[in-house]
Amino acid sequence: MSSSTYIKTIFWDLGGVLLTNGWDKDERTEVLTRLDVDLVDYESRHEEANYFWERGLSTAEHFFNVTVLNQNPNLTFDELWPQVCAESKILHPESFDILGELATSGRYMLATLNNESRELNEHRLNAFRLRPFFDYFICSGYVHEMKPHPGIYRAAIEISGHLAETALFIDDKVENCDAAEALGMQTICFESPAQLRDELAQLGLRAA
């Protein structure tokens, strides 16, 4: 039986595959340097606060109060947040082409499987008009666990309603793909749109 016969759901990472990352080190360095925020001071607070924010256990406003605004009273959340959002950009237009072809084919369920805070995820889905491409969304900010922890993959599999073996996961990080494979999912470790299209074809998945 070929892979295409039993792949039912294709899970997509967003940052690094379709879009730039949301609030990783490069993005926050760009914004905070521009705002004259002490990066060393910020980074000393980032990890602990981000644990809760990216798992949907605190709000964006609380996160930035703890990490930036309490230490920089000249800044406000209303000034900061648009600059945070503006760091999100389309990374690979060709990946959007592939996603669109798969969505139009109607052969597979399509879902996201990404690490992101609830607020940034909502912004990215809306700003880049991603909602029509996907049937549903598995995001760390919704399910309260992050890749590569097995809990987020188990949630994705259970919500899909199908066996892990019928899922394909596309992500740009090897550790995230390894974690998915450990639970029985098939994976493509993304390097470029051309490589993605190639590996989809090798699996027998047709976009049109």
Side-chain angles (χ1 to χ4, degrees), residues 11-15 18-22 81 84-90 96 99 110-143:
F11 290 100
W12 289 70
D13 185 28
L14 296 182
L18 293 164
L19 306 175
T20 57
N21 291 318
W81 182 244
V84 172
C85 291
E87 286 302 301
S88 291
K89 300 176 176 68
I90 291 175
F96 275 81
L99 174 62
L110 299 178
T112 61
L113 178 47
N114 64 314
N115 288 344
E116 197 64 85
S117 68
R118 180 181 292 268
E119 296 95 338
L120 261 183
N121 194 65
E122 294 290 321
H123 163 72
R124 285 150 72 87
L125 293 180
N126 293 332
F128 300 100
R129 298 184 175 92
L130 288 168
R131 292 184 186 278
F133 292 109
F134 293 103
D135 296 289
Y136 55 95
F137 307 92
I138 310 295
C139 172
S140 62
Y142 304 159
V143 301

Side-chain angles (χ1 to χ4, degrees), residues 46-86:
H46 172 83
E47 188 171 350
E48 182 178 355
N50 193 60
Y51 178 96
F52 296 98
W53 187 37
E54 278 205 84
R55 287 168 174 81
L57 302 174
S58 73
T59 65
E61 190 159 4
H62 176 77
F63 172 81
F64 284 108
N65 278 336
V66 169
T67 57
V68 177
L69 301 176
N70 290 345
Q71 296 77 32
N72 297 271
N74 56 310
L75 290 175
T76 68
F77 181 74
D78 288 342
E79 292 171 311
L80 176 59
W81 182 244
Q83 298 199 47
V84 172
C85 291

